[in-house]
Amino acid sequence: MTRLSSLIRPAPLLVAALAVSPLPLSGAFFTAQAADMPQTTTQATTQLDFNVTGTAHAAPTELTIRLSVRADSPSAATAQKDVNTRMAAALKLAGGQSGIEAKAGGYSIYENTPEHAPKSWTAQQELELSGKDSVQLLALAGQLQSQSLMLEGMDWSLDDATREQLLKDARTAALKQVREQAEQSAQTLGLHLVRLKEVRISSQEPGPRPVMLMAARMADSAPPQRSSDEQTLRVNVFVQAELSQ
């Protein structure tokens, strides 16, 4: 009986050792976790705003000519028939030339009621010609004028591909300029450029440039003359620059 008691007594000591053993492990884990946490520091920064405009220039590449067919008659049906016939002939003539786009535009008919003359009807339709070969286009306009179409106006503009390239060039110029200004300002203030943020870009594109016409409504065999002015595209860039020591 005595030997059995002596064998059982050490058991409480073993249980006590197991109960306290997790404490050093837990303390080591939290110490390592605190050592791995990054320490943050606050750095003072200065903000400057810049607004720069980049430009790109090019001669217009596309010409649009507007003409009209008009007919007057005591009969509305007769006036419309005349306009329809002459417009069909004009479209056929324009359609036979490559590189020229012809579109029939707005159509109108109205009654004329003068006080001391018989009533009459006027029918009218617009014709728009556009293309890159201005010489060919102007010659066609002259032919149509000889067929009693009236010249209403001419506009110079840029084709889509040229316009996109000019916008790209103007945008690149503006972005380079605004970065140079930000870096120069930072150097003057004894700081350095950290980053450019909140960049906003807008563009200003020229609309069609009208051509001044001399006796535009005179129908003769001589084609209208051409003149073109350089077109300018502008891109505005607004940037916030962040500077620091």
Side-chain angles (χ1 to χ4, degrees), residues 12 24 66 97 103 106 127:
R66 301 184 307 279
Q97 303 192 34
K103 296 187 297 184
L127 174 64

Side-chain angles (χ1 to χ4, degrees), residues 64-65 132 181 185:
T64 298
I65 299 180
K132 295 182 180 180
Q181 289 189 10
S185 299

Side-chain angles (χ1 to χ4, degrees), residues 50-165:
F50 295 89
N51 195 352
V52 172
T53 300
T55 60
H57 312 274
T61 57
E62 194 167 75
L63 178 62
T64 298
I65 299 180
R66 301 184 307 279
L67 303 103
S68 65
V69 181
R70 175 174 172 169
D72 299 298
S73 174
S75 167
T78 302
Q80 292 180 81
K81 182 179 180 180
D82 188 8
V83 166
N84 296 346
T85 301
R86 289 160 58 196
M87 178 59 73
L91 289 171
K92 183 178 180 180
L93 178 62
Q97 303 192 34
S98 61
I100 292 181
E101 182 182 359
K103 296 187 297 184
Y107 195 109
S108 63
I109 182 168
Y110 53 89
E111 185 180 20
N112 305 300
T113 56
E115 186 176 354
H116 301 291
K119 294 182 180 180
S120 64
W121 289 87
T122 298
Q124 186 170 344
Q125 187 172 19
E126 299 173 354
L127 174 64
E128 184 178 282
L129 307 173
S130 59
K132 295 182 180 180
D133 190 337
S134 58
V135 175
Q136 178 191 18
L137 199 60
L138 290 164
L140 174 59
Q143 286 183 271
L144 294 173
Q145 280 183 285
S146 67
Q147 297 177 7
S148 72
L149 272 73
M150 293 184 295
L151 181 61
E152 301 291 348
M154 295 191 295
D155 296 324
W156 287 103
S157 60
L158 297 168
D159 64 273
D160 292 341
T162 302
R163 184 185 299 105
E164 288 300 321
Q165 184 60 49

Side-chain angles (χ1 to χ4, degrees), residues 43-45 190-192 194 243-245:
Q43 187 176 18
T45 59
L191 304 172
H192 72 274
V194 177
L243 313 179
S244 180
Q245 293 183 347

Side-chain angles (χ1 to χ4, degrees), residues 16-33:
L18 291 174
V20 298
S21 61
L23 294 177
L25 293 175
S26 177
F29 171 78
F30 285 112
T31 301
Q33 186 181 44

Side-chain angles (χ1 to χ4, degrees), residues 45-50 189 191 197-198 238-244:
T45 59
T46 301
Q47 179 178 294
L48 291 179
D49 295 341
F50 295 89
L189 295 172
L191 304 172
K197 60 179 184 178
E198 295 190 24
F238 173 82
V239 170
Q240 288 186 350
E242 192 173 284
L243 313 179
S244 180

